[in-house]
Structure formats: structure tokens, C-alpha cells
């Protein structure tokens, strides 16, 4: 077995999920990721954990969702019961065909998400981590050979996470004390929002592997202005290009896309919360140096910001602040490397991808 796979498993078990002897661990993965599953199980055995494995197949999920009536979805109580008895959860992604579920009716996707919202909340009450196995389908979508994609994934995963966390903490400290954030990029993005009283988080080697962002939640009704997401967004096999949103009073009042606007509409029409922002994230992992159509990596890219429409993570919302709630949480990305800046309480904290705590920062254009 590739030593990089074993190293990946070690990071997941020991650093991210912090598995200890006797822990009940649930591992969920697609069959294409069997090598990583084997390595994870080997590491769990060394620790003395008690694992259970669930294979997740997109073909099977597609067959089920296409056969279901949208009105028939109910909460998977047996899965909820398992999560309530789980100490740590390791979720592994990987695909042979990223468009496998592209012909599932949108109303079924939404109904399934709504029915199982409580499962997502339960997952956040335990130690959990999600990661990516460098599968051929993901490599193909990224426009890379499988070998080159493996190199890309393992470079992003096997990093000095203590150093990365310390670097990101500088932006977390800025957001933690902030009242208002303004995002400006080119001629089409000028967006303001309050983050007063919200909680800023540092994502290094915690719930995502790879990590690489500082993030928080906007106060839902304070978002004003326009944003152009100049990086693509995949949604159920469809590529949304140049999504543009206009906010008034925190809500999307106008939207458009150069390609697959109907997919953007499907996202925004999920429920009332889908028209509001649930997350502001600043990508800070410069080990991720290219767009690969995989949000786990793309949202962490250095010199980017991402905004998620939909659900706000509970741990990013202050005790006396409103939390945006939705059945979805969908991230969109804007490149901040040129003709762009992030302003916090009237002060520029990043210009053209360079932070004020880095060499080469220029406060003035």
C-alpha cells in the first residue's frame, strides 16, 4: 500500500478525530476508497477502537432517490440512533462518476435533506472529520491524471498543521473582534455584512482534511450589496458559472448565472433560509494552488473567499444572535488575488490576496 495512504489514515484517526482506545467509530466511504478504508481500519486496530463500516454508493443512492416519492422521505431513525452511540465519525468521499446523481429530481434531493436535517445536527455533537480519497472520477473532473491528482491531494493533506493553524489564527483574531466586513472584487462584487457577536473559527486539521480557512457567520439580515462568484460551482452534476447574487436586508432579491441558472434557482428556492448567507469563509491554504471542482479543496485555496447560502453552523453563531437555518449549505467562491480587498471595520486587512500580517501587504491600491 502507498505510504501516503497510511499517512492520510494516521492524520484522520490521530489528529482529526482524536480516536482513543474503546471509542465507537463509524466509517462511511465509497467502494472506490477501499485502500484508505483499509488503512484507517488498521490504524483503528492499533488504537484499540471499535469501528463499524458503511459503504456509500452513488449508484445505489441514485436508484433509491429516483424510485422514491418526494412526499415519502422520513428521518432515518436507525442512523440517528447509531450516531447517538458514536464517539467519532470518519467520512470519506471519492467518485467514479461525479454526475451519477444528476438525473435525480431536485424535489427529491431537497425532501431528503429536509427529512434528515437532524442527522447533520447529531453529527456535529461528536468528533467528526470529512476527507477526500483521490479517486479517478475526481481526478478527471479536475483535468488531471490520477497520479497527478494523488500528488495534489496528498500535498494538501500531509502538511504542518500546527504552522497552518497559527497562520490562520491571525485572520481568526481579526474576525473575532470585527463588527462589519466588506468584500470588494473587480467591478461586480461589493458586499457588506455584520459579523458582530458571531463566532470566528479556525479550520486546520479539525473537521475537514484538508483544512485551511478562517470562517464565521454573518448576522442574517445585515447582508447588503452584490457579489459575483467567478469560480464554478458543481450542483448535482451541473456546472454553475458566474453566479451573481444581489442582497437587500440580508436576502437574495436578484440572481443570475451565465450557465445553469436553473440549478442556481433550485438552490435558492430550497427554503427561506437558502436565500440568506450562513457562512463567510476566507481561504488560506496555499498548498491548494488550483481549482479542482471539489469544494473540500477549492474553498480552502489561498487568495479566495467563499460565501455559503443556507444553514449557518451553530458553533459560529453567538448566543444572543439569530441563526440562519436551512436544509442546505452551499458554498460559492470568489477569487481575491487581483483587484480585490477585504475590509474590516473600515480597515483593509487583505489586498490582492496578501494579508496585512504578511510581507508585501499594501494598504493602499
Amino acid at each position: 500500500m502507498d505510504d501516503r495512504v497510511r499517512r492520510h489514515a494516521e492524520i484522520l484517526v490521530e489528529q482529526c478525530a482524536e480516536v482513543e482506545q474503546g471509542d465507537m467509530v463509524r466509517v462511511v466511504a465509497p467502494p472506490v476508497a477501499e485502500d484508505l478504508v483499509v488503512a484507517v481500519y488498521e490504524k483503528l486496530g492499533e488504537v484499540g477502537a471499535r469501528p463499524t463500516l458503511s459503504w456509500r454508493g452513488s449508484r445505489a443512492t441514485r436508484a433509491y432517490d429516483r424510485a422514491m416519492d418526494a412526499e415519502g422521505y422520513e428521518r432515518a431513525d436507525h442512523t440517528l440512533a447509531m450516531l447517538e452511540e458514536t464517539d467519532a465519525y470518519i467520512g470519506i468521499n471519492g467518485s467514479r462518476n461525479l454526475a451519477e446523481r444528476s438525473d435525480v429530481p431536485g424535489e427529491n434531493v431537497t425532501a431528503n435533506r429536509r427529512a434528515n436535517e437532524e442527522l447533520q445536527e447529531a453529527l456535529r455533537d461528536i468528533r467528526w472529520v470529512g476527507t477526500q480519497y483521490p479517486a479517478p472520477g475526481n481526478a478527471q473532473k479536475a483535468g488531471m491524471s490520477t497520479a497527478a491528482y494523488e500528488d495534489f491531494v496528498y500535498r494538501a493533506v500531509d502538511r504542518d498543521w500546527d504552522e497552518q493553524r497559527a497562520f490562520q489564527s491571525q485572520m481568526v483574531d481579526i474576525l473575532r473582534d470585527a463588527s462589519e466586513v466588506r468584500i470588494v472584487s473587480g467591478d461586480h462584487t461589493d458586499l457588506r455584512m455584520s459579523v458582530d457577536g458571531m463566532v470566528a473559527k479556525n479550520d486546520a486539521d479539525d473537521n475537514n482534511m484538508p483544512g485551511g480557512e478562517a470562517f464565521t457567520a454573518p448576522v442574517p439580515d445585515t447582508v447588503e450589496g452584490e457579489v459575483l462568484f467567478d469560480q464554478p460551482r458543481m450542483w448535482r452534476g451541473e456546472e454553475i458559472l458566474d453566479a451573481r447574487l444581489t442582497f437587500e436586508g440580508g436576502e437574495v432579491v436578484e440572481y443570475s448565472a451565465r450557465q445553469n441558472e436553473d440549478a442556481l434557482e433550485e438552490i435558492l428556492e430550497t427554503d427561506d433560509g437558502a436565500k440568506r448567507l450562513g457562512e463567510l469563509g476566507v481561504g488560506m491554504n496555499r498548498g491548494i494552488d488550483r481549482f479542482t471542482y471539489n469544494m473540500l479543496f477549492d474553498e480552502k485555496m489561498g487568495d479566495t473567499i467563499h460565501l455559503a447560502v443556507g444553514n449557518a453552523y451553530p458553533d459560529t453563531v453567538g448566543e444572543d444572535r439569530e441563526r440562519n437555518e436551512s436544509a442546505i449549505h452551499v458554498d460559492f467562491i470568489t477569487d481575491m488575488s487581483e483587484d480585490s480587498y477585504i475590509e474590516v471595520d473600515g480597515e483593509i486587512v487583505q489586498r490582492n490576496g496578501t494579508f496585512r500580517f504578511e510581507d508585501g501587504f499594501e494598504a493602499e491600491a
Side-chain angles (χ1 to χ4, degrees):
M1 182 182 293
D2 191 328
D3 286 342
R4 298 177 300 179
V5 178
R6 284 197 168 92
R7 174 59 179 154
H8 193 173
E10 180 182 1
I11 292 170
L12 293 173
V13 173
E14 295 184 355
Q15 293 181 222
C16 300
E18 299 179 326
V19 178
E20 299 177 351
Q21 183 176 359
D23 276 351
M24 289 184 284
V25 182
R26 186 176 186 216
V27 180
V28 179
V32 71
E34 184 178 13
D35 279 356
L36 181 54
V37 172
V38 170
V40 165
Y41 258 59
E42 182 178 54
K43 181 56 64 175
L44 291 172
E46 293 174 3
V47 172
R50 293 175 287 170
T52 184
L53 173 63
S54 297
W55 292 110
R56 176 175 57 200
S58 55
R59 289 181 62 204
T61 303
R62 170 189 177 274
Y64 175 80
D65 284 335
R66 283 176 58 85
M68 272 291 288
D69 186 305
E71 302 297 322
Y73 286 94
E74 296 183 51
R75 186 181 65 196
D77 288 338
H78 61 307
T79 303
L80 180 60
M82 179 179 290
L83 286 173
E84 290 173 345
E85 295 297 325
T86 296
D87 297 305
Y89 176 101
I90 298 174
I92 301 170
N93 294 321
S95 181
R96 298 186 190 278
N97 178 7
L98 284 168
E100 189 66 61
R101 300 181 68 240
S102 60
D103 55 358
V104 173
E107 58 267 27
N108 286 40
V109 174
T110 299
N112 195 356
R113 288 177 184 273
R114 285 175 176 161
N116 289 294
E117 282 183 81
E118 194 171 342
L119 271 64
Q120 295 302 312
E121 298 301 323
L123 180 61
R124 296 196 172 276
D125 289 335
I126 63 178
R127 282 169 278 139
W128 66 272
V129 61
T131 195
Q132 176 70 43
Y133 179 77
N138 302 100
Q140 184 178 36
K141 186 60 185 176
M144 304 169 72
S145 67
T146 302
Y149 188 64
E150 288 172 351
D151 291 341
F152 168 81
V153 169
Y154 294 128
R155 279 198 309 270
V157 165
D158 194 3
R159 299 177 61 78
D160 184 334
W161 289 109
D162 289 338
E163 180 180 319
Q164 184 70 35
R165 181 182 297 278
F167 172 61
Q168 294 171 189
S169 69
Q170 299 171 93
M171 188 63 199
V172 173
D173 289 343
I174 291 172
L175 291 175
R176 182 176 292 128
D177 297 331
S179 293
E180 184 182 75
V181 177
R182 182 184 181 193
I183 306 293
V184 177
S185 183
D187 297 327
H188 302 292
T189 294
D190 191 345
L191 198 67
R192 294 177 182 269
M193 66 199 73
S194 171
V195 295
D196 183 55
M198 296 308 210
V199 181
K201 307 290 287 185
N202 190 342
D203 175 28
D205 58 346
D206 304 293
N207 299 132
N208 295 308
M209 181 46 59
E213 64 171 301
F215 66 102
T216 189
V219 177
D221 62 356
T222 66
V223 184
E224 299 281 346
E226 183 180 59
V227 57
L228 171 67
F229 299 109
D230 52 19
Q231 301 300 299
R233 169 72 211 204
M234 295 299 297
W235 181 254
R236 299 197 308 108
E238 295 185 298
E239 185 176 13
I240 303 171
L241 295 180
D242 292 340
R244 190 191 304 257
L245 305 180
T246 301
F247 290 85
E248 292 181 6
E251 187 173 5
V252 175
V253 294
E254 293 182 18
Y255 62 87
S256 65
R258 180 163 59 86
Q259 179 175 298
N260 287 319
E261 187 174 303
D262 56 337
L264 177 60
E265 180 180 18
E266 178 184 311
I267 293 169
L268 296 173
E269 294 299 327
T270 299
D271 50 36
D272 290 341
K275 294 184 178 70
R276 296 176 179 268
L277 290 184
E279 181 189 1
L280 161 65
V282 182
M284 300 183 68
N285 187 341
R286 295 203 175 105
I288 302 172
D289 57 2
R290 62 179 292 170
F291 187 86
T292 60
Y293 291 92
N294 185 328
M295 193 56 67
L296 179 64
F297 294 83
D298 297 339
E299 70 173 3
K300 315 297 191 326
M301 274 194 301
D303 311 340
T304 66
I305 60 100
H306 56 275
L307 301 168
V309 294
N311 202 48
Y313 299 130
D315 58 356
T316 63
V317 179
E319 291 184 4
D320 60 345
R321 290 293 184 265
E322 177 189 357
R323 175 185 164 217
N324 194 51
E325 296 186 53
S326 173
I328 62 166
H329 178 99
V330 182
D331 294 287
F332 291 86
I333 300 171
T334 294
D335 180 11
M336 299 292 289
S337 64
E338 296 180 0
D339 194 22
S340 303
Y341 61 87
I342 301 173
E343 180 182 291
V344 175
D345 296 335
E347 180 181 353
I348 306 295
V349 300
Q350 186 204 64
R351 186 182 293 281
N352 299 336
T354 302
F355 294 98
R356 74 179 186 191
F357 44 81
E358 293 184 290
D359 293 338
F361 171 72
E362 296 179 357
E364 302 296 331

